[in-house]
Amino acid sequence: MRFKIILLVILCISISSCKKASETKVLYLGHTLPQTHPVHKGIIEFKKALELKSNGTLKVKVFPDGQLGSERETLELLQIGSVAATKVSAATLSNFVPEYNVLGIPYLFRNKEHQFSVLEGKVGKTILEKGSKFWLRGLCYYDAGSRSFYTSKKAIRTPEDLKGLKIRVQNNQMAINMVNSMGGAATPLAYGELYAAIQQGVVDGAENNPPSFVSSNHYEISKYYTLDQHSSVPDVLLIGTKFWNKLSEQEKVWVQAAADESAQAQKVFWRESVEASMKIVKDWGVEVIIPEKSLFAEESKNVVIEFVKKFPEMADIVNQIKK
């Protein structure tokens, strides 16, 4: 049934595109987040900026809440040209473009300033461009904060506390290796199934940033939130090359400029959302734990070593980031 709905939406998009072809170019953008999420708000800023810069000749139609499918499904729609753009986690994107794996390395970034000096500098732009050969051109990065552990029955204060716990992770090898290296049992699971999985004890916990912890309502069934901030995987705004190549040079300039402006606005939305989310978490009665992060970083060192061994071509990117 879901597949039929996606096909119907794509058909409507195609028909609408044909009707408007002589007037405007419509950029259809699908993503999985709710409309209250700070990343969605950043996408709306992209829409506003692009329509303003192009004087309405380029329009953006946004499909939030997973209307066009999962992140992986939406990426595949970009590749075949059925949808123009999307926003996905760099973790999901790493399954299509290997270089994005680097951004999931635990404790890679020293702080927020270091992270965005990398992402908005030469290294970050190079990684965005790497996706073009897979029909997925990166436009900009959105702040997705730092991921931390939350659990339903047992508090995590040190890596030792992770032993024996089943922790849901994204279906990404870096995340799986990281949790396993710290002593937990990494359990890839669809995000939409996670609330019930925690509630029923299928998994003991998960890991995510504060806005997602709240927007998913996982705080309702989790007693502990440990701010170990083990990874800072950004979100990425992408455009399919099949759509990009149909744009004029001026239109490409407008699209990139609108993306860059939206990225700066989204940082503010993110900061405000983290503050609001943490207040909700504390008011609900979740115990917020501030652990010694160096203990977790030490346990995950081998993840980086093994990654560079497996992908020696990535070593230069890692070294550039560290410098």
Side-chain angles (χ1 to χ4, degrees):
M1 178 62 71
R2 178 182 176 135
F3 182 65
K4 289 180 180 178
I5 292 172
I6 293 172
L7 285 178
L8 181 60
V9 171
I10 293 170
L11 179 61
C12 292
I13 288 173
S14 300
I15 294 171
S16 177
S17 297
C18 292
K19 288 180 179 178
K20 296 182 179 181
S22 60
E23 305 167 18
T24 60
K25 290 179 182 176
V26 183
L27 189 156
Y28 290 91
L29 192 161
H31 69 83
T32 61
L33 297 172
Q35 296 177 55
T36 55
H37 199 281
V39 171
H40 174 78
K41 293 178 181 178
I43 290 170
I44 296 303
E45 289 300 309
F46 170 69
K47 167 184 167 69
K48 291 177 182 177
L50 182 56
E51 293 179 355
L52 181 63
K53 291 178 185 298
S54 68
N55 197 29
T57 59
L58 288 177
K59 292 189 176 294
V60 182
K61 175 67 175 174
V62 182
F63 293 85
D65 298 304
Q67 292 178 48
L68 301 186
S70 66
E71 288 195 335
R72 184 179 185 89
E73 289 168 336
T74 310
L75 285 170
E76 290 169 350
L77 291 176
L78 255 68
Q79 289 181 315
I80 63 176
S82 296
V83 175
T86 190
K87 184 294 307 172
V88 299
S89 169
T92 303
L93 192 51
S94 68
N95 294 310
F96 292 75
V97 185
E99 285 77 8
Y100 282 98
N101 275 297
V102 172
L103 303 181
I105 291 175
Y107 299 104
L108 176 67
F109 301 112
R110 293 185 292 276
N111 50 41
K112 187 73 73 179
E113 291 71 28
H114 178 216
Q115 180 186 17
F116 277 94
S117 69
V118 169
L119 297 180
E120 295 173 355
K122 182 180 178 181
V123 173
K125 291 177 181 177
T126 297
I127 294 174
L128 288 176
E129 292 168 2
K130 292 290 185 182
S132 293
K133 61 185 176 183
F134 302 101
W135 307 286
L136 301 167
R137 180 184 178 86
L139 292 173
C140 69
Y141 298 96
Y142 286 148
D143 193 351
S146 297
R147 302 176 74 91
S148 295
F149 294 113
Y150 53 89
T151 47
S152 58
K153 296 177 182 177
K154 178 184 177 182
I156 297 173
R157 304 181 192 281
T158 69
E160 183 73 22
D161 296 322
L162 274 165
K163 290 184 177 178
L165 296 185
K166 290 178 287 185
I167 303 296
R168 181 269 175 185
V169 295
Q170 293 171 294
N171 190 15
N172 169 265
Q173 197 59 50
M174 184 72 73
I176 293 170
N177 292 346
M178 179 199 66
V179 170
N180 289 341
S181 73
M182 293 180 184
T187 308
L189 188 71
Y191 193 57
E193 300 172 9
L194 183 51
Y195 189 100
I198 296 174
Q199 196 173 40
Q200 297 167 11
V202 175
V203 295
D204 300 298
E207 44 91 51
N208 218 323
N209 53 63
S212 296
F213 183 43
V214 170
S215 66
S216 62
N217 295 320
H218 293 167
Y219 70 96
E220 298 174 349
I221 51 174
S222 301
K223 293 182 180 179
Y224 310 100
Y225 193 23
T226 303
L227 299 181
D228 63 300
Q229 299 178 322
H230 46 257
S231 63
S232 300
V233 184
D235 280 339
V236 186
L237 181 63
L238 299 147
I239 188 167
T241 57
K242 290 185 183 295
F243 185 88
W244 176 261
N245 292 336
K246 294 177 183 177
L247 299 177
S248 68
E249 290 306 310
Q250 179 59 72
E251 288 170 334
K252 290 176 180 178
V253 170
W254 287 333
V255 169
Q256 186 61 62
D260 292 340
E261 288 181 20
S262 73
Q264 299 310 311
Q266 189 269 339
K267 289 182 190 177
V268 178
F269 296 140
W270 186 267
R271 184 170 63 250
E272 294 171 347
S273 182
V274 168
E275 293 171 359
S277 297
M278 288 308 298
K279 184 178 187 306
I280 291 171
V281 167
K282 291 175 182 177
D283 289 348
W284 187 264
V286 175
E287 182 181 348
V288 177
I289 299 162
I290 311 296
E292 178 53 62
K293 290 195 288 186
S294 63
L295 298 177
F296 293 85
E298 183 65 29
E299 291 296 322
S300 62
K301 273 185 177 180
N302 282 338
V303 174
V304 186
I305 295 170
E306 292 303 316
F307 174 73
V308 172
K309 282 183 182 178
K310 186 175 181 180
F311 301 103
E313 69 276 14
M314 306 287 184
D316 185 52
I317 299 176
V318 175
N319 289 333
Q320 287 183 61
I321 291 173
K322 288 182 175 181
K323 289 177 181 178

